[in-house]
Amino acid sequence: MADCRIVNQVVSTSVENIDKLATEYQTAGTDFESAFKDAIAEMEGDTKDALIELFDKSYKTFVTSLEEGLPAMIKGMSSLLEGNRSNFETVDGQIAESIRNGGQS
């Protein structure tokens, strides 16, 4: 088995940065939606309706949703890293406590 090591502060800082990026992606997605809809605002007819339908069904959630889309995926990676960081911290403390207690839990 490979050695296992975590640098707590580095991971913690990265988690914060990734959380921030998730929000920035959500904002960029909302800006993209606005720009797209502005571009077709003056259009009329079935083509415009089809473009709106396409965007709303295929793109909107993916680019804007912090619950289901790309921003959510990025946030999920942040949560995964934080969970691992937290687990390492907890286990490290438990091992240290066990050693301090002479190997007794």
Side-chain angles (χ1 to χ4, degrees):
M1 179 165 36
D3 291 340
C4 195
R5 176 178 178 260
I6 190 169
V7 180
N8 201 35
Q9 187 56 50
V10 172
V11 174
S12 183
T13 299
S14 293
V15 165
E16 291 173 17
N17 290 338
I18 293 169
D19 279 343
K20 182 180 173 193
L21 285 170
T23 301
E24 290 173 0
Y25 267 90
Q26 181 186 32
T27 299
T30 301
D31 292 347
F32 168 52
E33 177 183 18
S34 295
F36 177 78
K37 290 191 175 175
D38 285 349
I40 64 171
E42 299 298 319
M43 289 178 73
E44 294 180 10
D46 199 31
T47 299
K48 177 181 179 178
D49 296 341
L51 285 168
I52 291 171
E53 183 179 321
L54 173 68
F55 186 90
D56 288 348
K57 285 184 177 178
S58 300
Y59 293 90
K60 183 174 181 148
T61 297
F62 181 71
V63 298
T64 65
S65 178
L66 202 50
E67 289 79 33
E68 299 176 39
L70 180 60
M73 293 174 188
I74 295 168
K75 183 84 169 159
M77 289 302 296
S78 167
S79 295
L80 178 67
L81 285 172
E82 175 54 26
N84 281 284
R85 185 208 60 77
S86 177
N87 286 338
F88 270 98
E89 187 175 55
T90 298
V91 168
D92 184 48
Q94 290 171 344
I95 292 169
E97 187 63 29
S98 177
I99 292 168
R100 289 185 182 105
N101 290 328
Q104 305 299 315
S105 294

